[in-house]
Amino acid sequence: MSEKFTTTINIPEIEKLFQEYCEKNKIEFSAGKFEDFLKFLEIDFYDWVRQNLKQFYIQK
C-alpha cells in the first residue's frame, strides 16, 4: 500500500470537546475523568470498526 494514512483520532481536540461539555453541563473537569472517557471511546471505537467491517463485507 503506497498511500500514507493519518489518524483521525486527535486527543487534544477530544479533550477540548470534553472540557466544553463539562463546562456547559456544570460538571467538574479532571484529567482522571478525561482518561476514563478516552478508555470508553476506545472500546466504542473498536466496536464501531468491527461492525463496519461486517457491513463492508456484506456489501461486497
Side-chain angles (χ1 to χ4, degrees):
M1 183 175 287
S2 63
E3 293 180 37
K4 184 176 182 176
F5 291 94
T6 59
T7 183
T8 59
I9 305 301
N10 183 323
I11 304 259
E13 186 65 26
I14 294 170
E15 184 174 17
K16 180 181 172 192
L17 290 170
F18 184 78
Q19 285 179 323
E20 289 172 359
Y21 179 85
C22 287
E23 287 175 18
K24 185 175 185 178
N25 292 281
K26 297 179 172 61
I27 299 169
E28 183 180 342
F29 172 86
S30 74
K33 287 180 187 176
F34 179 64
E35 259 185 63
D36 289 344
F37 181 64
L38 285 179
K39 289 175 188 173
F40 173 80
L41 287 180
E42 184 176 1
I43 293 166
D44 189 52
F45 176 76
Y46 286 109
D47 289 344
W48 176 75
V49 169
R50 281 188 211 107
Q51 187 61 35
N52 277 288
L53 280 168
K54 290 176 190 174
Q55 292 300 317
F56 177 75
Y57 282 105
I58 287 172
Q59 293 177 3
K60 293 281 173 180

